[in-house]
Amino acid sequence: MSGDLSFFFYPKSVAVFGSFKEGAIAYEILRNIVEGGFDGKIIPVNPKGGTVEVAERSFEIHEKLDEPVDAAIIAVPAKIVPSLIDEIGPLIKGAVVISAGFSEVGNDALEQELVEAARKHGVRLIGPNCAGIFGVHGKFFGSFEVRVKPGGLALISQSGAFGGAALAMGNDEGIGFSAFVSYGNASDLNESDFLEYFADDENTRAIALYIEGVKDGMRFMKALRYATSKKPVIILKAGKSTSGAKAAASHTGSLAGSYEIYRAAFKQAGAIEVEEMEEVFDAAKAFEMYPKAGKRVAVITNSGGPGVLATDKLERLGLEIARLDEGTVEALKSFLPPQCSVKNPIDLIADADYERYKRTVEAVCRDGNVDSILVICVPPIFIPSEDIARAVVEADCGKPIVANFMAGELVKGGVELLENAGMKNFPTPERAARALFWLSRR
Amino acid sequence: MSGDLSFFFYPKSVAVFGSFKEGAIAYEILRNIVEGGFDGKIIPVNPKGGTVEVAERSFEIHEKLDEPVDAAIIAVPAKIVPSLIDEIGPLIKGAVVISAGFSEVGNDALEQELVEAARKHGVRLIGPNCAGIFGVHGKFFGSFEVRVKPGGLALISQSGAFGGAALAMGNDEGIGFSAFVSYGNASDLNESDFLEYFADDENTRAIALYIEGVKDGMRFMKALRYATSKKPVIILKAGKSTSGAKAAASHTGSLAGSYEIYRAAFKQAGAIEVEEMEEVFDAAKAFEMYPKAGKRVAVITNSGGPGVLATDKLERLGLEIARLDEGTVEALKSFLPPQCSVKNPIDLIADADYERYKRTVEAVCRDGNVDSILVICVPPIFIPSEDIARAVVEADCGKPIVANFMAGELVKGGVELLENAGMKNFPTPERAARALFWLSRR
């Protein structure tokens, strides 16, 4: 175990080192910390001193750090980082080194110096050459990346750019985050340490991991097994192909190794391996809502075509189109118009309103043959998507429900209503089906 | 051949039948036609007469149609549709019957009556039980579905709801449309007629087809072969699985038949079959830009991780990571900083600006080993995505370029700039790779 890293993700005080000119990295990080509402102590440090204005607050820039803080964020030139760590080591618990110019460009000796300086003082390191960290529930946005909404996903990324893009896109996808860490060169803390830490973090419901390669396979397997015993771990492995593995080697210096070995290891450890970036979002959304779901799915729709597409995908993924109990079929017949199809997929036809959706969800939910429900809505012009969203949210049902409201602008209101109630929307029938597939893998 | 259907998609005059109360189907269609800027004659018809105000214009409602028009859009109760067609038949060339309540609910006799009335007067029918049509370049939006931007995609959909959702989502995806047709029960004109028509429509660069099943396989194969000889045809077949096929049978009454037979037929005819809804968008975007592309791809990126993901996907899809010519490598070395990777995928690293992107695209484009280029941009905070977008747009390159700018809000400006220059953006590296895959299939 790597011990408690909460001084990084829930710090009480933080110092930022670098240039505080507008647009500079340290300035942007300071701005993110302040605008993000961090309510601990914030100390900007630069030997030139002065003041810096951020988000209508004015901070004195300290010429040096002269009091203890939990974490230091460092964005100064690479060559002075080791001596800085040696100087402030006695005052800090951990340092996030944003600065690049270490082993990733061949400066192995400089990185070794950095690690030794940190070790001397018992300081833990994230980076160097990283994009920083977020502890979202501690309102701590220690990175220049775009801030995100609080939620259950901890994102661990070997690639800073992937992490940054995934955070920004996660906002659009309606994902809530507990934490983010870009660990760059992994000179001290690495993916295994973060897996173990987030496994025990009470605000984290699922972990997503982007890796190109790991250095210590045994350690990684142990950490991964520990994490998956506690919560879902979604992994996107890059460098799976021959050319991709070569590119990864020159990118993060990762010996990507045989993908088959990784693949078997992920499976053995019980992780959820996804094939592409978009699937990270789908799986993350699913696991932010539910820990798992069975294989027998009921599809409820107001439009035939999308219902058929969902059914095709579910079957292709190895899920089952639940065979409804006779009692459920009778119950549905008792209140649905005769044009509706009471076989699964259940087609409520275009004029389905709040009542029709709500009663159907509740009747199907009570069916012992049904493990989970996929609700599709393509709103006709005469029924607002908000009505259907409300029906789904207000239906009395304790089983996992995955929603696919679609038609761009036309479902914006309904999707918002779903999200405010903690229910994520999936943009196509197939992506909703895939969400249920990931849930069935736990 | 089904003859010229341009009176439907480029009408000079149109009559709309139904209720013109706000919110009623006929009212909404009238509104769409008026707001869409149709500059031909528009005649609302309802026996009650009166006037209707739409988009700050006032229309007299005719009690009956008393002059010839190209097309009639009909949204009156099903049982009076056949007699209406018989009455107005001498005055119209075609009718789009929105009204439901025909063979899809078992009223086969009523549908037969409708068909006979139309045949008697030589009137061509779209529908009944359909969502209407768009002729986008004729500024004719004869449907209640959301209006779309003009472009090269003709969307033919057996499912009205699928069509409506795809149009709305197409707007978000940056797709431009030439036409849309929801053909419902296909009582007269069907998918084969529209394939043949759009194959010859000069504003259509690609055709997308959603089908559950076809009634006349021989006719369909002939039409499909004709269309694919002229332009790319993207097909999404629903009802591929056992449960999906059963659902399709109750939805559109399609005998979905063995999917394997469809699949072989699509392949034999040279169509591009996609597996899910999202891929329709990706393929449509690709083919709106380019008729085809070779298999040898160069990847240019400013961020390692996403470059590796693109490379993995390209290789998995059977494309080749182009081996750059020695001359190209030397040229790249002459102006790129030493930290950049000049091997494909080419990593320009985070501080890549306009010049670095533009010169790289141009150098790679001149390479005889390269068929197409995938450009990735995850903008760092200090370089606006617009700069990189401008570099891609302004680079002197005649080969297909597919773009993946990503980071949600942060790339909005860059994506807009790309789209205004006719270049679509793909939201993930893998979807951009898939776009190139579809292009390589022609």
Side-chain angles (χ1 to χ4, degrees):
Chain A
M1 303 297 292
S2 45
D4 185 18
L5 302 176
S6 50
F7 52 85
F8 277 122
F9 298 99
Y10 301 88
K12 291 197 176 58
S13 49
V14 59
V16 183
F17 296 76
S19 161
F20 295 99
K21 278 186 205 146
E22 217 173 306
I25 300 280
Y27 173 84
E28 292 296 334
I29 294 176
L30 179 68
R31 191 165 64 81
N32 240 358
I33 294 173
V34 176
E35 287 181 357
F38 181 65
D39 46 23
K41 190 156 197 177
I42 306 170
I43 305 176
V45 186
N46 187 296
K48 290 177 186 155
T51 57
V52 52
E53 318 288 319
V54 189
E56 293 174 4
R57 280 174 68 181
S58 180
F59 290 85
E60 186 201 338
I61 301 174
H62 295 223
E63 290 171 24
K64 52 183 287 190
L65 184 66
D66 43 21
E67 59 183 293
V69 293
D70 280 342
I73 314 268
I74 295 172
V76 302
K79 62 178 187 300
I80 63 169
V81 175
S83 57
L84 175 63
I85 293 290
D86 194 27
E87 179 197 324
I88 64 174
L91 295 171
I92 65 174
K93 293 178 184 163
V96 181
V97 183
I98 310 290
S99 321
F102 294 87
S103 64
E104 84 280 5
V105 293
N107 285 343
D108 293 52
L110 191 68
E111 191 157 313
Q112 192 50 38
E113 248 186 88
L114 166 63
V115 171
E116 278 162 20
R119 228 168 250 161
K120 181 173 147 192
H121 299 287
V123 167
R124 302 311 304 258
L125 285 179
I126 295 177
N129 181 31
C130 78
I133 63 175
F134 286 171
V136 184
H137 293 273
K139 291 189 202 162
F140 176 58
F141 294 95
S143 164
F144 46 78
E145 303 293 0
V146 64
R147 294 194 301 279
V148 291
K149 280 166 281 192
L153 184 72
L155 173 63
I156 306 171
S157 183
Q158 189 172 8
S159 157
F162 175 88
L167 291 170
M169 294 162 85
N171 274 341
D172 291 348
E173 293 270 356
I175 293 174
F177 290 86
S178 60
F180 163 63
V181 52
S182 153
Y183 59 90
N185 296 358
S187 66
D188 174 24
L189 294 166
N190 62 31
E191 63 285 333
S192 298
D193 299 298
F194 300 116
L195 278 172
E196 287 167 352
Y197 174 71
F198 291 121
D200 290 326
D201 175 49
E202 60 177 11
N203 286 311
T204 297
R205 283 196 293 278
I207 300 168
L209 175 64
Y210 169 95
I211 47 166
E212 299 186 359
V214 301
K215 280 168 191 156
D216 182 347
M218 295 285 280
R219 168 82 206 286
F220 176 71
M221 275 304 282
K222 200 178 145 223
L224 185 57
R225 261 200 227 103
Y226 179 73
T228 61
S229 75
K230 301 273 184 156
K231 49 194 74 165
V233 179
I234 304 153
I235 302 183
L236 178 60
K237 164 78 171 76
K240 294 189 275 264
S241 63
T242 314
S243 309
K246 275 188 207 153
S250 82
H251 174 225
T252 53
S254 294
L255 288 175
S258 155
Y259 168 54
E260 288 312 314
I261 291 173
Y262 276 98
R263 196 178 169 181
F266 299 153
K267 198 175 169 190
Q268 202 194 326
I272 308 284
E273 193 196 353
V274 298
E275 198 199 310
E276 53 182 80
M277 186 166 179
E278 196 170 82
E279 294 174 346
V280 175
F281 300 133
D282 291 341
K285 283 159 77 172
F287 286 119
E288 236 198 301
M289 289 191 288
Y290 310 108
K292 61 180 173 177
K295 285 193 162 213
R296 300 169 307 167
V297 182
V299 178
I300 299 172
T301 183
N302 66 349
S303 48
V308 178
L309 292 175
T311 302
D312 280 347
K313 195 68 180 186
L314 286 166
E315 234 180 72
R316 182 170 171 126
L317 292 169
L319 297 181
E320 289 166 31
I321 307 304
R323 196 188 176 86
L324 299 181
D325 188 87
E326 266 312 306
T328 306
V329 172
E330 288 312 310
L332 291 175
K333 277 185 183 162
S334 75
F335 64 85
L336 290 179
Q339 307 94 298
C340 294
S341 169
V342 296
K343 263 189 206 150
N344 188 11
I346 300 158
D347 190 347
L348 305 181
I349 70 176
D351 62 350
D353 57 3
Y354 172 93
E355 273 305 307
R356 205 183 289 171
Y357 263 99
K358 181 162 180 279
R359 293 183 71 176
T360 304
V361 169
E362 289 175 345
V364 168
C365 191
R366 278 191 296 268
D367 192 317
N369 297 335
V370 172
D371 294 321
S372 63
I373 302 175
L374 198 167
V375 178
I376 297 173
C377 167
V378 181
I381 47 172
F382 45 87
I383 296 181
S385 67
E386 288 87 341
D387 283 11
I388 316 295
R390 206 170 294 118
V392 176
V393 167
E394 292 174 2
D396 180 18
C397 173
K399 294 178 180 173
I401 300 179
V402 161
N404 163 228
F405 278 44
M406 64 175 178
E409 280 297 314
L410 295 181
V411 292
K412 230 176 161 179
V415 169
E416 232 173 82
L417 201 148
L418 289 175
E419 284 178 356
N420 290 339
M423 189 169 278
K424 321 281 177 186
N425 186 57
F426 294 82
T428 65
E430 295 94 345
R431 287 180 65 182
R434 215 179 274 120
L436 287 166
F437 169 66
W438 304 126
L439 287 175
S440 77
R441 297 281 301 278
R442 279 288 290 178
Chain B
M1 302 299 291
S2 44
D4 185 17
L5 302 177
S6 50
F7 52 83
F8 276 123
F9 298 99
Y10 302 87
K12 291 196 176 58
S13 49
V14 60
V16 182
F17 296 77
S19 161
F20 297 98
K21 280 189 203 142
E22 216 173 306
I25 300 281
Y27 172 85
E28 293 296 333
I29 294 175
L30 178 68
R31 192 165 64 81
N32 240 359
I33 294 173
V34 176
E35 288 182 355
F38 181 66
D39 47 22
K41 189 156 198 177
I42 306 170
I43 304 175
V45 186
N46 187 298
K48 290 178 189 157
T51 57
V52 52
E53 318 287 319
V54 189
E56 294 175 4
R57 281 175 66 182
S58 182
F59 291 84
E60 186 203 337
I61 300 174
H62 294 224
E63 289 172 25
K64 52 182 287 189
L65 186 65
D66 43 19
E67 59 183 292
V69 292
D70 280 344
I73 313 268
I74 295 171
V76 303
K79 62 179 188 299
I80 64 171
V81 175
S83 57
L84 175 63
I85 293 290
D86 194 28
E87 177 196 324
I88 65 175
L91 295 170
I92 64 174
K93 294 178 183 163
V96 181
V97 183
I98 311 289
S99 322
F102 293 87
S103 64
E104 84 282 5
V105 291
N107 285 344
D108 293 53
L110 190 67
E111 189 157 315
Q112 193 51 36
E113 249 186 88
L114 166 64
V115 171
E116 279 162 18
R119 230 170 247 159
K120 180 172 148 194
H121 300 287
V123 167
R124 302 309 306 258
L125 284 180
I126 295 178
N129 181 33
C130 76
I133 62 173
F134 287 171
V136 185
H137 293 273
K139 290 189 202 164
F140 175 57
F141 294 95
S143 164
F144 46 78
E145 303 293 359
V146 64
R147 294 195 302 279
V148 292
K149 281 165 282 194
L153 184 72
L155 174 63
I156 306 170
S157 183
Q158 189 171 7
S159 156
F162 175 88
L167 291 170
M169 294 162 84
N171 273 341
D172 291 348
E173 293 270 356
I175 293 174
F177 290 85
S178 60
F180 162 63
V181 53
S182 153
Y183 60 89
N185 297 359
S187 65
D188 174 23
L189 294 166
N190 63 30
E191 63 285 333
S192 298
D193 300 294
F194 300 116
L195 278 172
E196 287 168 352
Y197 174 72
F198 291 122
D200 291 327
D201 174 49
E202 59 177 10
N203 286 311
T204 297
R205 283 196 294 279
I207 300 168
L209 175 64
Y210 168 96
I211 46 166
E212 298 184 1
V214 301
K215 279 168 192 157
D216 183 347
M218 296 285 280
R219 167 85 206 284
F220 176 70
M221 275 304 282
K222 199 177 146 226
L224 185 57
R225 262 200 224 101
Y226 179 73
T228 61
S229 75
K230 302 272 184 156
K231 49 194 71 166
V233 179
I234 304 154
I235 302 183
L236 178 60
K237 163 78 172 75
K240 294 189 274 264
S241 63
T242 313
S243 309
K246 274 187 210 155
S250 82
H251 173 225
T252 54
S254 295
L255 287 176
S258 157
Y259 168 55
E260 288 312 315
I261 293 173
Y262 276 99
R263 196 178 170 181
F266 299 154
K267 199 176 169 187
Q268 203 195 326
I272 307 284
E273 193 197 352
V274 298
E275 198 198 310
E276 52 183 83
M277 184 167 182
E278 197 170 80
E279 294 174 346
V280 175
F281 300 133
D282 291 341
K285 284 159 76 172
F287 287 118
E288 236 199 300
M289 290 191 286
Y290 310 108
K292 61 178 172 177
K295 285 193 162 212
R296 301 168 306 166
V297 183
V299 178
I300 299 173
T301 182
N302 67 349
S303 48
V308 177
L309 292 175
T311 302
D312 279 347
K313 195 69 181 185
L314 287 166
E315 235 181 71
R316 180 167 175 131
L317 292 169
L319 297 181
E320 289 166 32
I321 307 304
R323 195 188 177 86
L324 300 181
D325 187 87
E326 266 312 305
T328 306
V329 172
E330 289 311 311
L332 291 174
K333 277 185 183 161
S334 75
F335 65 85
L336 289 178
Q339 306 93 299
C340 293
S341 170
V342 296
K343 265 189 207 147
N344 188 10
I346 300 159
D347 189 348
L348 304 181
I349 71 176
D351 62 350
D353 57 5
Y354 173 93
E355 273 305 306
R356 204 183 291 170
Y357 263 98
K358 182 162 180 279
R359 294 184 71 177
T360 303
V361 169
E362 289 175 344
V364 167
C365 191
R366 279 191 297 270
D367 192 317
N369 297 336
V370 171
D371 294 323
S372 64
I373 302 176
L374 198 169
V375 178
I376 296 172
C377 168
V378 181
I381 46 172
F382 45 87
I383 296 180
S385 67
E386 287 88 340
D387 283 11
I388 315 295
R390 207 170 291 117
V392 176
V393 167
E394 292 175 4
D396 180 17
C397 173
K399 295 178 179 173
I401 300 179
V402 161
N404 162 229
F405 278 45
M406 65 175 177
E409 280 297 314
L410 296 180
V411 292
K412 229 176 162 179
V415 169
E416 230 173 84
L417 200 148
L418 289 175
E419 284 178 358
N420 289 339
M423 189 168 279
K424 320 280 178 187
N425 187 56
F426 294 82
T428 65
E430 295 94 346
R431 288 179 66 182
R434 215 178 274 120
L436 287 165
F437 169 67
W438 304 126
L439 288 175
S440 77
R441 296 283 299 278
R442 279 288 288 177

